[in-house]
Structures are given as C-alpha cells and as structure tokens.
Amino acid sequence: MKFWRKYHRWISIFITLPFLMTIVTGILLLFRGKIEWISPKMPAPVAKEITIPFSDILKAAQSVPELQVQTWNDVGRIDIRPASGAITVRSKHSDYEIGVDGSTGAVLGLAKRNSSLLVRIHESTYLGLGDIGRFGIALPMALGVLFLTVSGVVIFFQPALAKRSAKKRASV
C-alpha cells in the first residue's frame, strides 16, 4: 500500500502542468466550429458549385502574403465543400487560412485559425518540439495518468479488501 501512495503522489506532482494543458486545450478543441476565435467562419461563396481548377486555388493562396504560399509545398491543407462551393486553404508556415469561392476563385476572406495552436499545445508539439514533445512529454504524461488511474483504484479499494481479508481470517 505504501508503494501505491508514494508513487501516486510523486507522479501526480510531475504531470500536473502538462496534464492541465492537455485537458484545457482538449476542452477548447471540443468547441471547434462553435467559437469563431478557434475556427474562423468564412463568408459564403456566391455560387454553390466548384468549377475552378486547382491552379486557380494556388493562385488565390499566392495572392495573400500572410499565408506565405509560393508553391503547393507551402500548402498545409485544402478543405473543399462541394455542397456549398466553399474552399479553404491553410498554409504550412502560418496559422492563417483563406476562403476561396469555388466558382470564381476570388478570395472570400482571411482569418487566423487558433485551433492549430491549440492542437500543438494539446499534443505537446508546440515550440517546435515535434516528436520530442510527443514522446518526451505527452507519452510519459499519458503513462503517468494510466498509473494514477490504476493506483487510485487500488488505494480506493484497499481498505475494503483489507477488511474482507480480516473477516476471512477471523472466521477460519
């Protein structure tokens, strides 16, 4: 029992801050699409169809300096919504995205997408840590939370198990 309590306490001390960051960012990410600060809304396109070629999408992205797009290698993601005629383009180099009209190729809007930052904090890859953050911070924290769950159950049920064991010994 001493083992479980000792390590339960120490592990909880070390993982508190990264675990709180994961919880808070996870809660905020649940509201993607609901809170505009997290995922911006773009103006609706005029036509409800997509008729432009991909080369026009790249030209639209290149026309917005904040995106820092020169070639397709600079594009992080394209989201195409055929039913609404909407296209959004995200850069690999910034947290900005643009809305593109699928029928005219016109840039509908530019907005900062904060969900990208929240995801990087959530998975511990912020500050350019990449796999170091993922496997050096997030994985040990997840294993720590697993240990805390198991040790918490053991600590919680230990008195009842000890009482049951004492009754069995007394009746023999």
Side-chain angles (χ1 to χ4, degrees):
M1 189 62 183
K2 201 174 192 181
F3 166 85
W4 293 107
R5 285 188 190 281
K6 176 182 177 182
Y7 288 103
H8 186 89
R9 181 181 312 120
W10 281 105
I11 288 173
S12 66
I13 289 169
F14 284 110
I15 70 167
T16 297
L17 183 61
F19 190 50
L20 276 174
M21 288 171 37
T22 302
I23 291 169
V24 170
T25 55
I27 290 169
L28 290 172
L29 286 168
L30 289 173
F31 292 96
R32 263 186 299 209
K34 306 285 187 231
I35 299 174
E36 198 163 325
W37 178 82
I38 298 171
S39 297
K41 296 195 183 330
M42 292 291 166
V46 178
K48 301 289 184 200
E49 62 182 356
I50 297 176
T51 58
I52 62 170
F54 274 91
S55 59
D56 287 354
I57 297 171
L58 180 60
K59 285 177 191 168
Q62 290 169 331
S63 73
V64 180
E66 290 87 349
L67 281 186
Q68 303 171 11
V69 169
Q70 300 301 317
T71 68
W72 283 115
N73 291 331
D74 301 320
V75 175
R77 181 174 297 162
I78 298 176
D79 183 30
I80 299 174
R81 304 291 169 133
S84 66
I87 300 170
T88 54
V89 180
R90 286 192 234 168
S91 169
K92 285 182 181 177
H93 309 297
S94 73
D95 287 335
Y96 284 96
E97 71 179 16
I98 59 167
V100 179
D101 188 305
S103 62
T104 66
V107 175
L108 298 171
L110 168 72
K112 188 167 185 180
R113 183 176 195 85
N114 290 305
S115 65
S116 301
L117 171 64
L118 292 174
V119 168
R120 288 194 305 270
I121 293 170
H122 186 74
E123 56 186 29
S124 299
T125 58
Y126 54 94
L127 302 176
L129 294 175
D131 282 347
I132 293 170
R134 197 174 275 125
F135 298 112
I137 297 171
L139 180 61
M141 181 197 58
L143 293 172
V145 171
L146 177 63
F147 179 83
L148 289 177
T149 302
V150 171
S151 63
V153 169
V154 169
I155 291 168
F156 180 81
F157 285 111
Q158 196 279 332
L161 293 173
K163 196 181 276 187
R164 178 188 273 179
S165 179
K167 281 184 183 178
K168 277 187 180 180
R169 277 184 264 143
S171 65
V172 173

